[in-house]
Amino acid sequence: MNDIIFTDKQSPASITGQTISKTNCPYCGVGCGIEATVENNKVIAVKGNVEHPANLGRLCVKGSSLHETQGLQNRILHPRVKGKNVSWDKATSTIADHFKATIAQYGPDSVAFYLSGQLLTEDYYVANKLMKGFIGSGNVDTNSRLCMASATAAHKRAFGEDVVAGCYDDLSSAEAIFIIGANPAYAHPIVYQRMIKAREENPARKIVVIDPRRTASAKDADLHLAIKPGSDAYFYNGLLIYLAEQGKLDKDYIAKHCHGFEQALETAKSQFSDISDVAIACDIELSLLLESYQIFAETDKVVTFFSQGINQSSSGVDKANAIINCHLATGKIGREGAGAFSITGQPNAMGGREVGGLSTQLAAHLHFENSNEIDLVKRFWQAPNIATKPGLKAVDMFDEVNSGKIKAIWIMATNPVVSMPNANLVKRALEKCPMVVVSECYENTDTINYADVVLPASTWGEKQGSVTNSDRTISVHQSMIKAPGEAKNDWQIITDVAHKLGFKDAFNYQHAVDIFREHAALSGFENSHPLAEKKAEKDIYRVFDISALANISQSDYENFIPTKWPINVANPNGVQRIFTDGVFATKNQKANFIPIIAQLPKILPDKTQVVMNSGRIRDQWHTMSRTGRVAKLMTHSDEPYIAVNPDDAQRFQLADKQLAVLSNLSADYIGRVNITNEQRTGEIFVPIHWNDNFSASARVSALVNPITDELCGQPELKHSPVRIKPFNAVWSGYLISSQTVNCPTSYWSKIQLEQGHKYLLSDKQKLGDDETILANIYPQIDDWIVLKDAQQNVLRIAGFIDNKLHCFFAASTDLNLKFNSRYIEGQLNKALPIKTRFALMSGIDSNGKGDVGDMICSCFQVGEKTIQEAIKSGQCKSVASLGEKLQCGTNCGSCIPELKTFFT
Ligand SMILES: Nc1nc2c(c(=O)[nH]1)N[C@H]1C(S)=C(S)[C@@H](COP(=O)(O)OP(=O)(O)OC[C@H]3O[C@@H](n4cnc5c(=O)[nH]c(N)nc54)[C@H](O)[C@@H]3O)O[C@H]1N2
Ligand SMILES: Nc1nc2c(c(=O)[nH]1)N[C@H]1C(S)=C(S)[C@@H](COP(=O)(O)OP(=O)(O)OC[C@H]3O[C@@H](n4cnc5c(=O)[nH]c(N)nc54)[C@H](O)[C@@H]3O)O[C@H]1N2
Ligand code: SF4
Ligand SMILES: [Mo]
């Protein structure tokens, strides 16, 4: 039974009294350091760690509400097989027996692991080692395929290795930052604040945003280029030509440190007769294009900061290389304030790449292309059955699950039924698959419904292990509280299964640090710098080398000081900036220019369609399993929406704030129309977060075509042509409920409240007019009040249990009626005297009282109307004075970009 008990070493430092632990935020790739206060086995407060180099004490709204995500609500507490709770022994035997039998009958490629950039490095390392070294298949892929595959492949092509050529300090010292295909004001708020602060200190610094949408980041930029979706490589190829024509190349750098410049320039030129063609290809004004080119050319220190608008594309690798080409051509790389900076999305996408968790990698920045690399890993692991070829990439992997070739899949820390393109195919594939294992923390995730075996995983605050953020900084997450029920660390679960598959000796780890040491040792195994004096014939150079940590003590590991790799004999304290010596990880030590033929997205819209773009909102994290539990994080944006340009609204007869339906691939998405000039004509934007646990029909990726980049397999998630039409509701309303319910309406969307939930509802069917419409949902209630308010055209129904308000429903056929249910939300679960019962029914929810408008500041709950009033009254003339009066923007600062828009 020892596999269900925490060893002393993994038990929390303290389960009584207050302790403070230095740990990390588990959300985005910024990788902020946190100081968490723990009391009675609970994290009761978090604040930014001033010593952590990623954030120097700051946290965004997601990080600063981490402690509110805790609690047993929806936690998975026990392993399950086919819906029944079982012991860990039974669960891991079920998996091992099934995998063994499948492998024996159909070979190692009939099984697969699908992992996540949210696993810790130690979890990732053992999963990768088990599949690639011992089961003998390359079929380990990860959600990083949906996220970082393009950048990874581009780095490899240009630099010889997947190394990010930049660090956060460069964002403070750059004189110009080109933010392309990224919205850091929402997605990487703390590094964004760093850029803005640097510009405040020196207004000569420039921020250029290149994004088809006018995002929060774009609004605060010196220049915004709303380019045609997918035209980014035209933009950077055009820049390369411009730099050559204007005599702005660094010929010396090109000659000394690069290879293939002429061909890259000639290829770029082959698509344009002159620079005005570039403006046409990008669909922007020539003057704007030239203004941005001039900034790049004339500024010494330039960073290009790029993310999913570049990566999630059928030609994402080329786009990233088009960017890198321009930095190499001007020598704006490998020095302070200059570089092509691919920002990572997930907290440990980098760690995943370091262990080799993509199916196209082997381990520790070694690959399958070279048999010496395979041999190196084989010897180090003493692997009996090393994989010798790449495995399947995510989209192909689920295709083969669907075709029946893959017969057993283990999914860890990711929710592919929501996040994969053509997500309904993934659903069908998992339905058919004979063995689906899901390691998860929460019950309310869409993928878990298709699991044969569910494994309860420990999560943030409970598990210990290392992560690497976007700028190569390794930090260690601390185990501060005991995991609930029988939940276990992912690496422990994987090693238990490895033991049962017969690989006990190779997976004999007692503590996360044992795995970390092995990973560190592998990174330095037969690895020497090409210019090193002591160099063995068979050595294979990798920049990724953390071998100085191969013997780290447990206590040093637990108190690890965040450090940027490489960390080796030559650099025991890490390295701030990489490629400063112009020595790259290629065979000839020179960086490669890659000739790029710019391409548009593969599937363009027909006349009846619009282009669907998708991405993040400020306060939610991915499929909402954690952030969807926090009431205040639901206030900034509380419903799936569709941002539409006014021309398209007219063309498709869509009304503002009404529902519309998108369709593609036989799937629908229902969201609230938001008419805005922030969108270009013919293009819409939808948030990625909502799913079947939070709304009727809002899994956006079910509408995304599974088109991928041929070079890296990353899907074109930012670009899918879809149809759009009004939803044609006949009524709309809301339900406030103490319990979660299954809504029978064709549209619903769930919002977490401080107490209970709120459901926004609409339907195409007419509504009844008495309490029987709720009777099926609440069979236990027999105390109802119903009021049909003819004047306001509202039906209101309140249900009580023991005189306490249990649910409240209001609806109207007037679709423009704006309800404000704040007062009523506050009455939930309270025993109400007659007077209050009367107030509930009196229409207090529709008189606008207490309506603060759209929520801007989630930390202090300050709404748009309150801000407008304060400005109108003449009391507030700046963001700072708003903060003084209303507190907005004074905690995490995530809303500052929006506060600024009130003054522009
Ligand atoms: N709040 C929040 N933050 C997050 C996350 C989250 O879920 N919530 N997730 C994290 C993860 S895993 C990731 S990967 C990152 C993603 O971080 P980002 O990539 O910054 O975020 P996205 O919103 O996906 O997309 C960025 C922008 O790309 C633009 N875009 C779309 N198509 C094109 C195009 O063709 N060209 C250009 N130039 N731009 C285009 C979109 O309009 C969008 O504004 O965020 C991380 N941070
Ligand atoms: N249309 C569209 N689709 C997209 C994107 C887009 O921009 N547009 N972006 C893509 C990108 S960049 C990404 S990164 C993906 C993200 O998509 P997913 O990875 O599918 O999203 P998450 O909600 O982060 O899923 C992580 C799951 O792991 C669980 N979990 C959390 N901690 C642990 C742990 O310690 N152990 C275990 N076992 N489980 C844990 C969480 O509860 C959650 O259910 O979405 C991709 N899909
Ligand atoms: S920027 Fe926010 S979400 Fe990202 S690591 Fe920092 S606190 Fe967490
Ligand atoms: Mo991501």
Side-chain angles (χ1 to χ4, degrees):
M1 289 297 285
N2 71 347
D3 59 357
I4 62 163
I5 291 167
F6 283 77
T7 67
D8 283 349
K9 284 173 190 163
Q10 282 125 26
S11 75
S14 161
I15 48 168
T16 51
Q18 278 197 356
T19 52
I20 296 190
S21 283
K22 290 203 166 109
T23 187
N24 264 68
C25 176
Y27 294 124
C28 84
V30 177
C32 295
I34 282 183
E35 263 185 39
T37 309
V38 179
E39 188 177 62
N40 292 329
N41 198 36
K42 243 187 120 180
V43 179
I44 56 165
V46 294
K47 62 174 189 177
N49 173 4
V50 289
E51 286 164 8
H52 199 290
N55 57 319
L56 308 167
R58 304 221 61 154
L59 292 179
C60 80
V61 64
K62 294 181 299 300
S64 57
S65 38
L66 259 170
H67 54 298
E68 295 173 49
T69 62
Q70 293 179 100
L72 285 180
Q73 185 194 340
N74 287 327
R75 279 302 293 268
I76 307 168
L77 300 175
H78 306 284
R80 293 200 292 267
V81 175
K82 302 267 179 210
K84 286 212 178 73
N85 286 355
V86 296
S87 66
W88 269 114
D89 185 43
K90 168 84 181 153
T92 48
S93 294
T94 305
I95 299 167
D97 292 350
H98 198 103
F99 270 68
K100 248 193 234 165
T102 307
I103 294 162
Q105 194 172 352
Y106 303 101
D109 289 333
S110 63
V111 300
F113 291 167
Y114 184 59
L115 312 179
S116 159
Q118 292 166 74
L119 290 168
L120 303 179
T121 300
E122 293 75 3
D123 304 325
Y124 236 131
Y125 178 86
V126 287
N128 190 55
K129 178 179 174 184
L130 176 59
M131 183 57 87
K132 292 185 186 148
F134 291 75
I135 290 176
S137 168
N139 285 345
V140 180
D141 212 37
T142 136
N143 62 2
S144 286
R145 184 69 62 194
L146 316 180
C147 184
M148 302 312 304
S150 293
T152 300
H155 291 153
K156 182 107 183 9
R157 285 205 297 186
F159 310 138
E161 188 172 337
D162 175 22
V163 180
V164 174
C167 64
Y168 294 157
D169 283 355
D170 291 335
L171 303 172
S172 307
S173 42
E175 292 157 348
I177 302 179
F178 280 57
I179 299 174
I180 184 162
N183 182 17
Y186 279 14
H188 299 95
I190 297 300
V191 293
Y192 182 68
Q193 286 178 16
R194 202 182 269 231
M195 301 178 200
I196 296 298
K197 186 161 168 263
R199 192 184 53 180
E200 271 165 16
E201 284 164 8
N202 177 2
R205 289 188 168 136
K206 293 274 178 286
I207 297 181
V208 179
V209 169
I210 304 160
D211 192 313
R213 292 195 301 147
R214 191 162 167 76
T215 58
S217 312
K219 284 178 195 160
D220 205 9
D222 298 282
L223 200 60
H224 170 218
L225 308 181
I227 61 167
K228 177 161 135 187
S231 63
D232 306 80
Y234 292 90
F235 180 89
Y236 270 87
N237 267 357
L239 175 59
L240 192 66
I241 300 168
Y242 177 91
L243 293 166
E245 283 176 355
Q246 300 291 317
K248 295 291 178 186
L249 301 170
D250 185 337
K251 290 191 174 147
D252 195 35
Y253 190 88
I254 296 174
K256 267 201 196 125
H257 303 299
C258 307
H259 170 83
F261 173 73
E262 288 306 327
Q263 207 196 334
L265 181 63
E266 285 316 307
T267 309
K269 281 184 179 167
S270 72
Q271 282 185 294
F272 306 114
S273 53
D274 70 44
I275 228 75
S276 61
D277 285 355
V278 183
I280 295 168
C282 298
D283 193 21
I284 50 168
E285 280 174 34
L286 179 61
S287 59
L288 275 182
L289 180 88
L290 292 175
E291 195 181 339
S292 67
Y293 281 3
Q294 198 183 354
I295 294 175
F296 193 103
E298 305 283 326
T299 312
D300 177 42
K301 295 177 178 172
V302 184
V303 169
T304 298
F305 179 97
F306 66 98
S307 188
Q308 302 313 327
I310 295 294
N311 293 346
Q312 288 171 344
S313 154
S314 55
S315 56
V317 186
D318 282 352
K319 286 175 181 167
N321 280 117
I323 294 172
I324 295 169
N325 282 349
C326 291
H327 284 268
L328 291 173
T330 49
K332 290 176 183 163
I333 197 158
R335 59 185 170 89
E336 191 189 342
F341 197 138
S342 145
I343 182 93
T344 25
Q346 298 178 92
N348 198 32
M350 284 287 251
R353 285 147 72 179
E354 287 152 22
V355 305
L358 287 158
S359 61
T360 36
Q361 308 170 327
L362 175 53
H365 284 203
L366 294 159
H367 292 79
F368 291 105
E369 286 79 32
N370 178 338
S371 60
N372 293 339
E373 298 189 17
I374 300 174
D375 183 60
L376 183 156
V377 179
K378 181 180 170 176
R379 283 183 288 113
F380 181 87
W381 277 344
Q382 299 183 8
N385 202 14
I386 191 113
T388 53
K389 60 178 191 334
L392 294 166
K393 305 181 192 97
V395 171
D396 303 331
M397 181 181 276
F398 284 99
D399 277 349
E400 297 228 336
V401 175
N402 192 46
S403 73
K405 261 192 167 158
I406 290 183
K407 298 175 194 311
I409 184 164
W410 188 349
I411 298 165
M412 299 176 210
T414 177
N415 197 358
V417 168
V418 184
S419 52
M420 282 284 293
N422 198 7
N424 283 348
L425 176 133
V426 172
K427 197 160 133 173
R428 291 194 297 275
L430 294 180
E431 247 159 13
K432 281 190 251 171
C433 183
M435 173 56 68
V436 177
V437 182
V438 175
S439 296
E440 243 302 337
C441 317
Y442 300 100
E443 296 286 2
N444 59 334
T445 59
D446 294 26
T447 302
I448 219 168
N449 299 333
Y450 304 92
D452 298 283
V453 180
V454 175
L455 304 172
S458 60
T459 185
W460 180 81
E462 299 155 6
K463 66 195 294 196
Q464 186 180 45
S466 60
V467 290
T468 309
N469 74 359
S470 289
D471 82 342
R472 291 176 287 108
T473 304
I474 298 179
S475 303
V476 172
H477 279 236
Q478 300 306 336
S479 151
M480 304 175 287
I481 56 175
K482 192 175 182 323
E486 294 180 276
K488 287 216 293 188
N489 301 332
D490 287 291
W491 68 262
Q492 290 178 301
I493 305 173
I494 302 158
T495 49
D496 289 347
V497 171
H499 291 183
K500 288 188 174 163
L501 288 170
F503 309 122
K504 195 156 187 161
D505 291 344
F507 291 84
N508 189 14
Y509 310 109
Q510 305 306 314
H511 188 280
V513 71
D514 299 335
I515 304 169
F516 184 80
R517 287 185 196 121
E518 184 179 311
H519 167 57
L522 171 56
S523 74
F525 186 59
E526 298 178 3
N527 180 1
S528 58
H529 192 277
L531 307 179
E533 276 172 23
K534 268 182 21 198
K535 192 166 167 316
E537 183 71 23
K538 61 184 171 190
D539 281 4
I540 300 171
Y541 175 54
R542 290 95 74 192
V543 181
F544 175 66
D545 178 358
I546 55 168
S547 52
L549 305 172
N551 296 310
I552 190 169
S553 70
Q554 189 172 321
S555 128
D556 284 352
Y557 177 75
E558 282 170 358
N559 299 297
F560 191 77
I561 296 167
T563 311
K564 290 187 191 26
W565 59 256
I567 310 166
N568 50 15
V569 176
N571 310 284
N573 299 315
V575 174
Q576 172 69 353
R577 200 164 280 106
I578 222 114
F579 300 140
T580 46
D581 53 2
V583 174
F584 293 87
T586 51
K587 281 219 173 77
N588 59 9
Q589 292 147 42
K590 289 186 168 188
N592 293 317
F593 280 97
I594 307 294
I596 302 298
I597 295 282
Q599 293 169 59
L600 285 177
K602 285 264 165 62
I603 304 187
L604 298 172
D606 64 28
K607 284 201 175 111
T608 65
Q609 292 172 313
V610 288
V611 169
M612 183 180 74
N613 175 4
S614 59
R616 276 96 191 136
I617 62 171
R618 196 188 73 192
D619 293 0
Q620 288 302 327
W621 177 259
H622 294 168
T623 70
M624 302 167 83
S625 64
R626 284 171 292 181
T627 44
R629 298 152 61 91
V630 181
K632 81 172 185 213
L633 294 182
M634 273 288 198
T635 52
H636 182 244
S637 191
D638 61 6
E639 198 180 10
Y641 67 85
I642 307 169
V644 185
N645 175 283
D647 296 343
D648 292 320
Q650 203 177 17
R651 179 171 154 220
F652 295 100
Q653 297 174 334
L654 309 169
D656 197 30
K657 306 289 174 258
Q658 300 302 321
L659 296 170
V661 189
L662 307 177
S663 51
N664 191 34
L665 300 173
S666 312
D668 286 344
Y669 171 101
I670 309 174
R672 185 85 46 199
V673 171
N674 173 14
I675 299 182
T676 165
N677 282 315
E678 292 166 9
Q679 290 297 130
R680 288 162 42 102
T681 308
E683 296 159 22
I684 58 166
F685 176 82
V686 290
I688 57 168
H689 309 284
W690 276 267
N691 52 67
D692 291 353
N693 277 282
F694 286 87
S695 194
S697 207
R699 279 186 301 117
V700 43
S701 297
L703 280 65
V704 174
N705 299 310
I707 303 293
T708 59
D709 184 320
E710 276 169 24
L711 297 170
C712 75
Q714 178 150 358
E716 191 140 70
L717 289 161
K718 287 281 181 269
H719 192 279
S720 261
V722 300
R723 295 224 153 79
I724 182 165
K725 61 175 189 208
F727 174 78
N728 293 331
V730 298
W731 64 267
S732 74
Y734 69 89
L735 170 70
I736 289 175
S737 177
S738 302
Q739 68 186 77
T740 51
V741 297
N742 289 324
C743 297
T745 45
S746 50
Y747 175 74
W748 60 267
S749 182
K750 182 166 82 176
I751 301 166
Q752 176 82 44
L753 302 175
E754 293 294 342
Q755 283 219 28
H757 290 91
K758 175 171 164 179
Y759 295 86
L760 302 171
L761 306 170
S762 258
D763 215 338
K764 297 178 186 170
Q765 312 280 327
K766 264 174 78 179
L767 188 67
D769 61 1
D770 60 25
E771 74 273 14
T772 53
I773 57 177
L774 297 179
N776 281 343
I777 305 180
Y778 301 101
Q780 76 277 39
I781 298 185
D782 54 15
D783 182 3
W784 294 104
I785 322 181
V786 179
L787 188 113
K788 278 172 268 179
D789 181 337
Q791 207 188 340
Q792 288 194 334
N793 180 21
V794 179
L795 169 70
R796 294 192 180 82
I797 306 173
F800 299 85
I801 296 177
D802 297 333
N803 209 28
K804 287 184 190 147
L805 182 66
H806 190 77
C807 62
F808 185 91
F809 172 80
S812 176
T813 53
D814 175 0
L815 302 175
N816 291 315
L817 193 80
K818 228 182 154 201
F819 291 107
N820 169 25
S821 59
R822 286 199 152 218
Y823 171 78
I824 293 160
E825 290 164 23
Q827 305 307 314
L828 204 62
N829 291 325
K830 282 193 187 152
L832 299 184
I834 294 296
K835 209 171 85 195
T836 315
R837 279 195 172 201
F838 179 75
L840 285 184
M841 310 309 282
S842 69
I844 198 159
D845 58 350
S846 54
N847 66 10
K849 223 169 96 186
D851 178 11
V852 297
D854 290 346
M855 196 56 71
I856 306 292
C857 171
S858 306
C859 297
F860 295 110
Q861 295 284 292
V862 185
E864 186 190 5
K865 286 191 183 164
T866 317
I867 294 168
Q868 272 160 353
E869 277 160 25
I871 295 172
K872 235 171 61 207
S873 73
Q875 294 172 34
C876 297
K877 295 199 163 55
S878 64
V879 171
S881 60
L882 279 175
E884 277 162 33
K885 184 164 163 54
L886 304 170
Q887 286 186 291
C888 50
T890 58
N891 183 36
C892 71
S894 298
C895 64
I896 289 176
E898 276 151 300
L899 291 175
K900 283 188 179 166
T901 63
F902 286 86
F903 298 98
T904 51

